Amino acid sequence: MSLMVNIGELTLKNPVMPASGTFGFGLEFKDFFDLKKLGALVVKTITKNPRLGNVPPRVFELSSGLINSIGLANPGWEYFREKILPQIKALHEVLILNIAGESVEEFVFLANEAQKFEEIKALELNVSCPNVKKGGMAFGTDLEALKQIVSAVRKIYRKPIIVKLTPNVTDITIFAKASENAGADALTLINTFTGMVIDVKNKKPLLGNFYGGVSGPAIRPMAIKMVYDCFKAVSIPIIGVGGIDSLDAALEFIMAGATAVQVGSQNLVDPGFLPRLVEQLELYVKDSALGNISELTGIVHRGGEG
Amino acid sequence: MQDLKGVVVDKQFITEEIFKLKVYLSEKILAFIDPGSFAMLKVEAKGVYLRRPFSFADLDIKTGMVTFYVKVVGRGTKALGEINPGQEISMLLPLGRGFTRRPGKSLLIAGGIGVAPLNFLAKRIIEDGGKVSFLYGVRNARQFIAEIYSKFKKEMEVYCEEPGLGNRGSVRDGLLTKEIMAYDQIYLCGPMGMLKAVKPILKDFPGLIEVSLESYMACGFGACLGCAVQLKNKDGIIYKKVCQDGPVFNFKDVVL
Ligand SMILES: Cc1cc2nc3c(=O)[nH]c(=O)nc-3n(C[C@H](O)[C@H](O)[C@H](O)COP(=O)(O)OP(=O)(O)OC[C@H]3O[C@@H](n4cnc5c(N)ncnc54)[C@H](O)[C@@H]3O)c2cc1C
Ligand SMILES: Cc1cc2nc3c(=O)[nH]c(=O)nc-3n(C[C@H](O)[C@H](O)[C@H](O)COP(=O)(O)O)c2cc1C
Ligand code: FES
């Protein structure tokens, strides 16, 4: 019995990892548990230049999740390389760097830089952030731009490339297929749904940036469907994300077609959730006499069992 | 920083809208709790997704008891007000950076529920051998925590905007009666309106002025960047995380 899974050439000891932006740089969680228990470490999106992020308020609670407009606030590549990377490389042997750019050149620049660091094992391309004006989601909703970014990064980057897609499109499978054709090794599905909340008392938008990205259990059914649809459309592995807050929620993604899963919002309300999910998956695999967790990947497409 | 379970020992509404919550925690981590630091409490209620931040208002290391004063403002605080003694509560703590304590004479300025962390600070300053003067402003009697007043009667002046309690007026009026240059440092916690109102009066104060700020928080421990506030430094406007870089900041750096 094993939880081991493959994402492109990467072998992960289990299919559980944090979703970018909900786990800081990992350092914030090291008091809570040993990060090595996870399949991989995925850090907050890094851009070429530092970004201050959006005007507060940046978060607001929903009854089954939250809406955020952080705006890719991050200290920029140089600071990350100098100050953060040396601290986090010991946290996990599989570090996945999530990057975003305002242009194809910026993605290529970051990929080139990342390549120089042995400890960075894969890239996750964030072409899907709904909270930035330039670049951001625009790349993930423009098929031509998406193809250009993925193929330009593919040309120079030799390790696995994971493309993180936005759900804010009419048919996500088109974007999934385009990413695969342009050379992606895997897909992360999905980033947040665009949304808005209004302060009725003051008659104005609640978030400083007006719009935000909706995450948490509220978006899970939509995310599951997208994983299900993309599983049929592509043959590269899918990392499922969106509202995972329990073992069953993670299994839903796997059964719909995910090879691995990411946990986002739940980390913020329960920082010890990830290692517990790994333990629960272990028990589950043992109890159900599976050889490997990946036997469950996409099982609903095969009519399930029993 | 840990995710701990505490047992609620006492919950009491001490005014119509404020209750006191006493929680027992056996852990050694109590020794790391300073005035100004806070905990994220998990509220088990329908429709409440995020944890909620509350400042430590008191701590007794010997008995393992921590105290919060909570003002009911919305669904999370309402649900928390329904918790009963004996129930367990999950809390992340200790979070944030607290007040910098220095010797000498300190002036504490509290507005409304902002008195909670300053209650703890005043206690520690006095234990350290320092002196405090405490200004406590409330809008009405529903906001007034009498048991804090009775502890600091000698040091405290109360200002109330409605008649019937203490001096009539706001904390600003109270501050205008003080010879502020006689103090070595000043600490503030209260609503934005209060901070804006007192800012001009404190403009030329040469010593340390610290303020405990609030912001809407998702995680409380630095992972989401949701709690950002604008501060200014020599480079212009910068963002800081209230949960990790604060909640206590240098008052002179805060953009109001
Ligand atoms: C570091 C820190 C320490 C705090 N200490 C205390 C304390 O000791 N005692 C106390 O009573 N309160 C304290 N607060 C405020 C307290 O966290 C909020 O009142 C509480 O989270 C509101 O929850 P709710 O579910 O009742 O409100 P909601 O139903 O979520 O919202 C109701 C109203 O409360 C406002 N609100 C929501 N969250 C916050 C927040 N984080 N800060 C300010 N306003 C908010 C909303 O904008 C809204 O207008 C503190 C806040 C911070 C950031
Ligand atoms: C506060 C917050 C910040 C986020 N920041 C990023 C980010 O920097 N980069 C990114 O690719 N996704 C970001 N996301 C999206 C998450 O990685 C994830 O795709 C999304 O939240 C859905 O998962 P969840 O429902 O489990 O939270 C962020 C989400 C949240 C809630
Ligand atoms: S509340 Fe998440 S970083 Fe401060």
Side-chain angles (χ1 to χ4, degrees):
Chain A
M1 90 84 203
S2 161
L3 286 181
M4 215 184 270
V5 296
N6 292 313
I7 301 290
E9 289 162 14
L10 270 187
T11 300
L12 312 182
K13 62 182 161 224
N14 66 61
V16 177
M17 57 184 105
S20 176
T22 63
F23 206 67
F25 291 117
L27 296 162
E28 294 79 358
F29 284 78
K30 68 180 182 14
D31 281 6
F32 292 114
F33 65 94
D34 177 4
L35 272 54
K36 292 211 163 79
K37 290 189 175 146
L38 307 177
L41 170 61
V42 185
V43 289
K44 172 81 189 162
T45 295
I46 289 292
T47 51
K48 184 176 179 201
N49 299 311
R51 291 179 58 94
L52 286 177
N54 290 332
V55 196
R58 292 177 174 183
V59 281
F60 194 75
E61 179 185 70
L62 308 172
S63 56
S64 187
L66 68 142
I67 181 164
N68 86 80
S69 65
I70 309 297
L72 296 187
N74 80 90
W77 167 256
E78 206 175 294
Y79 186 92
F80 175 79
R81 181 194 65 204
E82 297 288 318
K83 298 276 186 345
I84 296 167
L85 191 55
Q87 290 184 68
I88 64 174
K89 64 184 186 192
L91 294 180
H92 204 288
E93 54 286 351
V94 185
L95 172 63
I96 299 177
L97 185 72
N98 178 304
I99 58 169
E102 289 182 3
S103 61
V104 178
E105 290 71 35
E106 284 191 16
F107 275 98
V108 170
F109 167 84
L110 287 165
N112 230 331
E113 288 291 306
Q115 185 123 266
K116 299 175 192 159
F117 294 86
E118 173 59 24
E119 54 270 34
I120 299 172
K121 297 291 192 256
L123 285 183
E124 183 174 63
L125 309 184
N126 178 4
V127 290
S128 44
C129 180
N131 296 321
V132 297
K133 294 214 170 59
K134 260 197 191 155
M137 197 174 76
F139 288 142
T141 55
D142 176 339
L143 206 54
E144 283 315 308
L146 176 70
K147 286 185 205 162
Q148 269 184 37
I149 291 168
V150 180
S151 32
V153 173
R154 177 77 291 163
K155 259 193 214 119
I156 58 123
Y157 191 72
R158 289 181 296 275
K159 293 182 232 178
I161 297 173
I162 306 163
V163 179
K164 182 167 178 182
L165 292 178
T166 174
N168 300 304
V169 292
T170 326
D171 183 358
I172 196 169
T173 62
I174 298 172
F175 295 83
K177 274 189 275 194
S179 305
E180 180 179 34
N181 292 338
D185 299 286
L187 301 172
T188 299
L189 307 177
I190 51 169
N191 210 314
T192 52
F193 282 83
T194 46
M196 186 170 177
V197 277
I198 288 171
D199 178 348
V200 173
K201 211 169 103 205
N202 296 312
K203 304 185 180 67
K204 58 181 190 107
L206 267 165
L207 295 174
N209 193 46
F210 290 32
Y211 308 130
V214 179
S215 64
I219 69 168
R220 194 165 69 230
M222 289 82 96
I224 299 280
K225 177 177 185 290
M226 291 184 174
V227 170
Y228 181 85
D229 289 346
C230 289
F231 182 79
K232 287 188 285 191
V234 300
S235 50
I236 49 178
I238 294 169
I239 304 171
V241 47
I244 295 179
D245 62 351
S246 63
L247 171 66
D248 279 6
L251 290 173
E252 271 193 80
F253 274 97
I254 295 172
M255 292 178 184
T259 298
V261 291
Q262 292 183 351
V263 173
S265 306
Q266 189 65 20
N267 296 319
L268 307 175
V269 293
D270 182 2
F273 176 74
L274 278 168
R276 284 206 312 277
L277 178 61
V278 174
E279 281 166 26
Q280 289 169 358
L281 268 175
E282 255 161 22
L283 279 178
Y284 177 85
V285 169
K286 212 186 276 168
D287 287 350
S288 43
L290 288 168
N292 184 289
I293 182 76
S294 55
E295 288 167 31
L296 278 188
T297 294
I299 196 156
V300 292
H301 295 266
R302 305 192 286 276
E305 266 178 336
Chain B
M1 185 163 67
Q2 279 181 38
D3 188 359
L4 298 175
K5 282 219 160 46
V7 180
V8 174
V9 175
D10 192 17
K11 188 231 40 199
Q12 250 186 69
F13 270 85
I14 50 177
T15 81
E16 276 162 63
E17 55 187 43
I18 295 172
F19 62 91
K20 177 166 81 167
L21 193 65
K22 281 190 119 169
V23 182
Y24 170 71
L25 284 162
S26 58
E27 316 286 330
K28 289 195 187 69
I29 200 159
L30 288 180
F32 296 95
I33 296 174
D34 280 325
S37 63
F38 67 100
M40 292 294 281
L41 305 189
K42 195 165 179 137
V43 182
E44 306 285 355
K46 206 169 153 246
V48 176
Y49 184 69
L50 300 173
R51 292 180 186 240
R52 298 289 193 270
F54 298 98
S55 301
F56 291 103
D58 203 358
L59 160 70
D60 186 339
I61 293 187
K62 277 203 255 25
T63 61
M65 212 69 83
V66 296
T67 304
F68 301 96
Y69 289 103
V70 178
K71 180 178 165 194
V72 175
V73 298
R75 59 177 187 275
T77 45
K78 185 167 181 291
L80 199 58
E82 284 156 16
I83 200 163
N84 290 312
Q87 275 177 253
E88 273 193 341
I89 184 162
S90 180
M91 46 213 286
L92 300 179
L93 82 170
L95 304 171
R97 292 155 61 115
F99 294 101
T100 320
R101 298 205 302 278
R102 295 203 175 150
K105 284 167 76 175
S106 299
L107 176 62
L108 277 56
I109 307 174
I113 196 69
V115 76
L118 294 186
N119 173 62
F120 187 14
L121 176 67
K123 179 178 155 184
R124 282 285 163 89
I125 291 175
I126 293 168
E127 282 170 6
D128 293 346
K131 282 208 158 44
V132 300
S133 279
F134 213 143
L135 281 173
Y136 177 22
V138 290
R139 191 154 289 151
N140 51 46
R142 294 190 299 282
Q143 290 194 357
F144 179 64
I145 304 180
E147 60 182 41
I148 294 186
Y149 175 65
S150 53
K151 259 192 289 182
F152 297 105
K153 249 188 216 123
K154 277 205 313 263
E155 296 90 358
M156 188 177 260
E157 285 171 46
V158 175
Y159 282 79
C160 183
E161 286 171 28
E162 289 173 12
L165 199 76
N167 304 289
R168 183 81 187 271
S170 70
V171 145
R172 182 177 179 278
D173 301 318
L175 189 58
L176 288 171
T177 69
K178 296 269 169 197
E179 182 45 68
I180 56 171
M181 295 301 173
Y183 295 95
D184 297 301
Q185 53 271 330
I186 299 176
Y187 304 98
L188 303 134
C189 187
M192 256 319 164
M194 174 193 110
L195 302 180
K196 279 187 184 150
V198 302
K199 190 167 181 159
I201 308 172
L202 301 179
K203 197 169 76 281
D204 299 320
F205 183 76
L208 175 77
I209 313 179
E210 283 187 334
V211 60
S212 176
L213 292 182
E214 282 194 6
S215 71
Y216 205 103
M217 292 183 177
C219 70
F221 54 92
C224 72
L225 308 180
C227 62
V229 282
Q230 291 186 331
L231 300 181
K232 57 177 181 310
N233 71 3
K234 56 181 189 329
D235 304 326
I237 300 287
I238 53 163
Y239 283 107
K240 289 277 178 193
K241 294 186 250 185
V242 173
C243 71
Q244 212 178 32
D245 305 316
V248 175
F249 292 98
N250 193 325
F251 190 58
K252 291 169 186 163
D253 298 339
V254 176
V255 178
L256 290 175

